[in-house]
Amino acid sequence: MRIDIITVLPEMLKSPFSYSILKRAQEKGLAEIHLHNLRDYSDDKHRRVDDYSFSKGAGMVMAIQPIEKALETLKGQRNYDQIIYTTPDGAVFNQQTANRLSMLENIIILCGHYKGIDQRIRDHYITMEISIGDYVLTGGELAAAVISDSIVRLIPGVLSDETSALTDSFQDHLLSPPVYTRPAEYKGMKVPDVLLSGNDQLIDDWKHEQAVERTKRLRPDLYRKYLGE
Ligand code: ADE
């Protein structure tokens, strides 16, 4: 899978992709992440990418010209399955969307800034608008990093044990059960007996019960989905 990220702050996005699982995914050739500096596409002699809004007092807006040029340049090189714009007024991102996106070949993520991008880009180029939650960030870069991270880890072969993505929280509308490691007792705090029983069936039943109980208690909204309501 190839992810092209268009941003005014490419330096900010280097580090999230340079460690651990995301780094290895790229080294193994399972994911390619390309950062593009939007200023490189500006025809302005000062490399400006923003301008005043026609709606007075609304703040600066990312201008149409550099974005159109960046998108047309990339689209001229390959076909893209989705052109995503990160914005607080987009559809709220979740695991189902991550699953769907992880199956695509090529995507572009355009990071929003200031008061947003010229609406004509949204109308003519953007195929998906994503928010990572109901709060406002200073820009779309952190959102692009969150989205890319959640997608890349789902690509087959990226996680060492492929089943571990299938048992993540949210995959079946359930939160994950609690986990424990050695020692079995620490300063009087004990691991539940069932986990030491060696009985796989009992352990699986316990994990499921715990997942259901935690979801019901902590996320009643997800629990209703789990019940199919
Ligand atoms: N840009 C600013 N806030 C954002 C959010 N919550 N999600 C995605 N992009 C954003």
Side-chain angles (χ1 to χ4, degrees):
M1 173 182 212
R2 177 180 169 122
I3 305 177
D4 288 277
I5 302 181
I6 302 171
T7 165
V8 287
L9 297 170
E11 291 301 317
M12 182 176 173
L13 277 171
K14 278 191 184 151
S15 120
F17 301 119
S18 305
Y19 297 94
S20 180
I21 291 170
L22 295 196
K23 181 178 181 212
R24 261 180 282 128
Q26 292 170 86
E27 286 168 353
K28 284 197 218 163
L30 297 169
E32 274 182 52
I33 296 163
H34 298 268
L35 303 175
H36 306 275
N37 189 341
L38 185 61
R39 292 186 197 284
D40 293 343
Y41 298 91
S42 172
D43 290 341
D44 177 74
K45 62 175 185 291
H46 303 297
R47 290 166 39 98
R48 275 187 65 166
V49 294
D50 62 339
D51 213 330
Y52 293 98
S53 169
F54 280 122
S55 339
K56 287 191 184 59
M60 302 301 278
V61 174
M62 287 171 77
I64 189 167
Q65 181 277 314
I67 302 177
E68 185 267 350
K69 190 168 175 181
L71 292 175
E72 284 298 342
T73 304
L74 289 173
K75 277 161 51 112
Q77 292 165 358
R78 66 196 62 75
N79 288 325
Y80 285 93
D81 304 300
Q82 291 285 358
I83 302 180
I84 298 166
Y85 170 51
T86 56
T87 174
D89 58 8
V92 178
F93 194 59
N94 61 22
Q95 191 65 41
Q96 275 69 44
T97 309
N99 291 345
R100 268 197 292 128
L101 292 177
S102 74
M103 290 183 253
L104 303 180
E105 276 300 307
N106 300 313
I107 62 171
I108 292 174
I109 305 180
L110 170 65
C111 302
H113 255 271
Y114 315 112
K115 279 289 170 195
I117 58 174
D118 191 299
Q119 182 63 35
R120 289 167 289 185
I121 292 289
R122 297 174 79 157
D123 294 342
H124 296 285
Y125 285 94
I126 301 299
T127 59
M128 236 180 145
E129 300 187 327
I130 296 181
S131 160
I132 59 162
D134 288 342
Y135 43 82
V136 179
L137 303 165
T138 52
E141 281 72 19
L142 292 175
V146 166
I147 294 164
S148 304
D149 183 302
S150 68
I151 296 172
V152 169
R153 65 188 289 286
L154 293 172
I155 297 170
V158 168
L159 295 181
S160 48
D161 174 2
E162 268 194 43
T163 59
S164 63
L166 296 175
T167 56
D168 285 340
S169 280
F170 305 114
Q171 284 296 11
D172 47 9
H173 301 304
L174 286 177
L175 300 179
S176 294
V179 290
Y180 298 87
T181 184
R182 292 185 300 175
E185 181 169 350
Y186 183 76
K187 297 188 177 177
M189 294 179 275
K190 290 184 180 165
V191 169
D193 287 339
V194 59
L195 295 181
L196 309 175
S197 68
N199 183 328
D200 288 346
Q201 184 61 51
L202 275 185
I203 292 173
D204 281 348
D205 290 349
W206 178 86
K207 282 165 63 180
H208 185 69
E209 273 164 35
Q210 290 287 319
V212 171
E213 186 280 321
R214 293 187 82 214
T215 309
K216 192 173 173 183
R217 180 164 46 89
L218 300 171
R219 290 289 305 272
D221 56 322
L222 269 189
Y223 183 64
R224 282 192 290 277
K225 282 192 191 159
Y226 165 71
L227 294 177
E229 287 174 7

